[in-house]
Amino acid sequence: MHSLDANFTIVAPAQEIAAALDQRIDRKTKPLGALGQLETVARKIGLIQQTLTPQLANPQMLIFAGDHGAARAGVSAYPQDVTWQMVENFLAGGAGINVFARANGLGLSVIDAGVAHDFGADRAGLIDLKIAPGTANYLEEPAMTAAQCAQAIEQGARAVLGLAAAGCNVVGFGEMGIGNTAAASLITHCLTGMPLAECVGRGTGLDDAGLARKQALLAQALQRYRATGGDNDAFRVLAEFGGFEIATMVGAMLAAAEARMVLLIDGFIVGAAALVAVHLAPALLDYCIFCHRSAEPGHAAQLQAMNAEPLLDLGLRLGEGTGAALAFPLVRAAVAFLNEMASFESAGVSDKA
Amino acid sequence: MHSLDANFTIVAPAQEIAAALDQRIDRKTKPLGALGQLETVARKIGLIQQTLTPQLANPQMLIFAGDHGAARAGVSAYPQDVTWQMVENFLAGGAGINVFARANGLGLSVIDAGVAHDFGADRAGLIDLKIAPGTANYLEEPAMTAAQCAQAIEQGARAVLGLAAAGCNVVGFGEMGIGNTAAASLITHCLTGMPLAECVGRGTGLDDAGLARKQALLAQALQRYRATGGDNDAFRVLAEFGGFEIATMVGAMLAAAEARMVLLIDGFIVGAAALVAVHLAPALLDYCIFCHRSAEPGHAAQLQAMNAEPLLDLGLRLGEGTGAALAFPLVRAAVAFLNEMASFESAGVSDKA
């Protein structure tokens, strides 16, 4: 059993205001429940902020990037260099997440949690939290040491404190790391108990032979872990399979929930970080909005384990936080209806006969 | 067989540009197909506008309101006065559709196609296209005459020509009319062949007894129509069951497709209008983006008949065009990625190994 160096105090929102929130939602000029999942989101944010008039302030996307030792073994359709190349694409504003964050009014920062590349000093938009230039290869040894894992969590937490100080109260999580669907598959298997085969998918686009190879390699990694006495402790699983971007994200999520922010959870890899964070602090779930259902098969196991019903189901499998950025207008709309819609009384509309 | 007074020339978009659109989408810095339905939307809008760089200009919501003679017979959970009261709510900016249109940058106009109420002269935001103060009761006679139906279609078309002249190329459709899920159920049954019982739902919130009563009344209306020789001709079905807001919307859709606009199709009632319009001009389907899957059960039959895969599935059943307004950011994001995302070449990112 491992523990965190950093302490997080994450408490479930008080429920006293829930009845008043329900009443406010139900008296809006609409049939009862007619705004479906938007009503659930409005209620959740009202609870997080403990108010009938929540506000979303200075929304930000954080994109966590890292490399994986196992990537060179052939668990991805793309070469490892794509990680740093895509970070450069983020910094130049040309990636999908840049387009969607711009379109939907979200700020964006990139965190180098452990990319195997030197980006040079003082790059605008890039936060250097590099633990090491890529994790070790979990086919041979743990991806990171317990100390590295704790450091990543602590650094992720500190990055979020910076956002909170800037008045941000809603943060979207995204990631980049060639090989990170493989790490997410292993984490998902260990923390949900779903068979490994059902947690492994094509990632960025493996063909049948590539998928079979990925399945075999991950089974081998799991076998090695179990042979060393590896259990399903969330912290140990995280350190064992990585990556640094996932561990740093776990810390950021814990700090964001502690700061009572709204957490926008993207797809499969961000979902793996959320799964770890929820195991470390179950009340974190009350701060999460699950933004989309990924086409990656292991995502279903995560959603089931966290009892989550995502907002979008568009067949997305790009990662980067694109699902979170795309769902953000729905979150904003949920808050807007709670604040701006008239009630039957205020609008002089007759209620149900 | 009835025919339209107005002639519409709606042609399917030329397909010559399709390969270039696919190429442009596939070379973006993302795995092939990783943006899922957004790629379908981007391709569709590129085809509609016949360009690799489509633009969405001056987006507008049109909300069509009308009353139904059958409403007084008990097909709705709400009193008929709610139609005009909600129109007032729209004009005051307090309804769900106002909130979502504002949040997502859509203009909004309300069209009185046949509300049983005098709104007074020169109301800002209200377009007076009233055919009559409510349709006749289809339990006893056709909801409207063929002449009224043709007039509604023609008026709807003219309203859209006004938008086109103002530079609008994307229009969202919404509606208000107590009793109009009943009309939509009858239209859906006739034009899809699905059993009537599967096309009838709780609308604004009928209980079990109310639903049974609605089912019985609609079966009775259908029986009366069949006894008078009523067939499944789209125009005749529309005139028989109404309402004026649906018929006016059909004309608006036909004109919008003729003007090569992007049509944002909301849920069950707007879907019924789309079903009629597609029967009158099959190529209209190429201009439609289906925005959400309604919780109203008959919507599934419509979507199947039009081979449509909606963007959102949030359990919405408010109408007003709220699903269209809520999905608009996804449509905007689809166009944005096509225009703004870097390619593998332009960003210097390595392609799949």
Side-chain angles (χ1 to χ4, degrees):
Chain A
M1 196 72 165
H2 298 260
S3 67
L4 296 177
D5 289 349
N7 279 318
F8 296 94
T9 309
I10 298 169
V11 292
Q15 295 296 308
E16 283 73 15
I17 201 172
L21 275 165
D22 288 341
Q23 165 78 1
R24 186 162 156 85
I25 291 168
D26 289 348
R27 295 310 298 161
K28 298 295 185 184
T29 45
K30 60 172 184 55
L32 270 183
L35 283 174
Q37 278 181 266
L38 288 201
E39 300 192 11
T40 313
V41 170
R43 188 179 195 277
K44 189 163 207 167
I45 298 177
L47 283 170
I48 290 172
Q49 299 189 3
Q50 292 285 300
T51 173
L52 301 179
T53 56
Q55 303 292 333
L56 299 174
N58 192 12
Q60 294 288 329
M61 289 294 312
L62 290 180
I63 315 302
F64 299 80
D67 273 311
H68 294 249
R72 293 180 198 276
V75 295
S76 175
Y78 282 79
Q80 190 175 57
D81 277 345
V82 168
T83 304
W84 72 259
Q85 292 167 348
M86 282 301 297
V87 168
E88 290 288 357
N89 198 12
F90 298 149
L91 298 177
I97 186 57
N98 299 98
V99 175
F100 300 143
R102 273 200 301 273
N104 295 334
L106 292 140
L108 188 154
S109 305
V110 186
I111 291 172
D112 175 4
V115 181
H117 183 77
D118 182 357
F119 291 103
D122 294 334
R123 299 288 304 272
L126 183 67
I127 301 170
D128 180 5
L129 302 179
K130 198 195 298 276
I131 304 278
T135 54
N137 180 358
Y138 53 63
L139 290 160
E140 296 160 5
E141 59 185 319
M144 60 186 94
T145 64
Q148 285 179 317
C149 190
Q151 185 192 346
I153 289 173
E154 202 185 320
Q155 289 186 168
R158 257 186 288 133
V160 161
L161 296 186
L163 292 188
C168 161
N169 69 4
V170 51
V171 56
F173 294 87
E175 45 59 47
M176 179 68 220
I178 292 301
N180 67 6
T181 62
S185 293
L186 288 161
I187 292 168
T188 302
H189 162 72
C190 290
L191 298 190
T192 70
M194 279 290 271
L196 180 62
E198 292 177 33
C199 297
V200 181
R202 294 173 191 277
T204 47
L206 290 170
D207 59 15
D208 288 349
L211 177 60
R213 179 175 166 77
K214 182 175 176 183
Q215 298 264 17
L217 287 170
L218 298 194
Q220 181 188 325
L222 188 65
Q223 198 172 22
R224 190 199 55 71
Y225 176 55
R226 295 303 188 202
T228 66
D231 59 13
N232 294 327
D233 173 74
F235 182 90
R236 183 162 176 191
V237 167
L238 175 63
E240 186 71 23
F241 300 119
F244 292 130
E245 81 281 32
I246 298 177
T248 307
M249 200 161 20
V250 167
M253 287 178 179
L254 290 166
E258 188 176 41
R260 299 188 163 279
M261 292 180 175
V262 175
L263 280 62
L264 305 175
I265 308 298
D266 192 45
F268 183 55
I269 294 118
V270 174
L275 204 53
V276 172
V278 165
H279 273 257
L280 296 174
L284 183 130
L285 206 47
D286 292 332
Y287 298 85
C288 294
I289 292 174
F290 290 86
C291 290
H292 85 111
R293 185 180 295 278
S294 166
E296 184 74 10
H299 197 217
Q302 294 177 359
L303 294 172
Q304 198 183 341
M306 293 186 278
N307 193 24
E309 191 59 55
L311 290 170
L312 296 176
D313 186 3
L314 295 167
L316 304 175
R317 50 182 173 79
L318 175 51
E320 303 179 1
T322 48
L326 287 167
F328 181 60
L330 293 173
V331 178
R332 207 170 41 198
V335 168
F337 100 73
L338 189 58
N339 285 316
E340 300 175 27
M341 238 177 111
S343 66
F344 283 103
E345 294 76 14
S346 73
V349 173
S350 308
D351 202 354
K352 202 165 159 178
Chain B
M1 196 70 165
H2 298 259
S3 66
L4 297 176
D5 290 348
N7 280 317
F8 296 95
T9 308
I10 299 169
V11 292
Q15 295 295 307
E16 283 73 14
I17 203 172
L21 274 165
D22 288 341
Q23 165 77 3
R24 186 162 156 84
I25 291 168
D26 288 348
R27 295 311 297 160
K28 298 296 185 183
T29 45
K30 61 173 182 55
L32 270 183
L35 283 174
Q37 278 181 267
L38 287 200
E39 299 192 12
T40 314
V41 169
R43 189 179 195 277
K44 189 163 208 167
I45 297 176
L47 284 171
I48 291 171
Q49 299 189 3
Q50 294 284 301
T51 174
L52 301 179
T53 56
Q55 303 294 331
L56 299 174
N58 192 10
Q60 295 288 330
M61 290 294 311
L62 290 179
I63 315 304
F64 300 79
D67 273 310
H68 293 249
R72 292 180 199 275
V75 295
S76 174
Y78 281 80
Q80 190 176 57
D81 277 346
V82 168
T83 304
W84 72 259
Q85 290 168 348
M86 283 300 297
V87 168
E88 290 288 355
N89 198 12
F90 298 150
L91 298 177
I97 185 58
N98 299 99
V99 174
F100 301 144
R102 273 199 302 272
N104 294 335
L106 292 139
L108 188 155
S109 306
V110 186
I111 291 172
D112 174 6
V115 180
H117 183 76
D118 181 359
F119 291 102
D122 294 334
R123 299 289 303 272
L126 183 66
I127 302 171
D128 179 6
L129 302 178
K130 199 195 295 280
I131 304 279
T135 54
N137 180 357
Y138 53 63
L139 289 161
E140 295 161 4
E141 59 184 320
M144 59 186 94
T145 65
Q148 284 179 317
C149 189
Q151 185 192 345
I153 289 174
E154 202 184 318
Q155 289 184 170
R158 259 188 285 135
V160 161
L161 296 185
L163 292 188
C168 162
N169 69 5
V170 51
V171 56
F173 294 87
E175 45 58 48
M176 180 68 219
I178 292 300
N180 67 8
T181 62
S185 292
L186 288 161
I187 292 169
T188 302
H189 163 71
C190 290
L191 299 189
T192 70
M194 280 289 270
L196 180 62
E198 292 178 33
C199 297
V200 180
R202 294 175 192 274
T204 46
L206 289 170
D207 59 15
D208 288 349
L211 178 59
R213 179 175 164 78
K214 182 175 176 182
Q215 297 263 17
L217 287 170
L218 299 194
Q220 181 188 326
L222 188 65
Q223 199 174 22
R224 190 197 57 70
Y225 176 55
R226 296 302 188 203
T228 66
D231 60 12
N232 294 327
D233 173 73
F235 183 89
R236 185 163 175 190
V237 167
L238 176 62
E240 186 70 22
F241 299 119
F244 291 132
E245 83 279 33
I246 298 178
T248 305
M249 198 159 24
V250 167
M253 287 177 179
L254 290 165
E258 188 176 41
R260 298 187 163 282
M261 291 179 175
V262 174
L263 280 60
L264 305 176
I265 308 297
D266 192 46
F268 183 54
I269 293 120
V270 174
L275 203 54
V276 171
V278 165
H279 273 257
L280 296 174
L284 183 130
L285 207 46
D286 291 332
Y287 297 86
C288 294
I289 292 173
F290 289 85
C291 291
H292 86 110
R293 187 179 296 275
S294 167
E296 185 72 11
H299 197 216
Q302 295 176 0
L303 294 171
Q304 197 183 346
M306 293 187 278
N307 194 25
E309 193 58 55
L311 290 170
L312 297 175
D313 186 3
L314 295 167
L316 305 175
R317 49 182 173 78
L318 175 52
E320 303 179 2
T322 48
L326 287 167
F328 182 60
L330 294 172
V331 177
R332 207 170 41 197
V335 168
F337 100 73
L338 189 58
N339 285 317
E340 299 174 28
M341 239 178 110
S343 67
F344 283 104
E345 295 75 14
S346 72
V349 174
S350 308
D351 202 354
K352 203 165 158 177

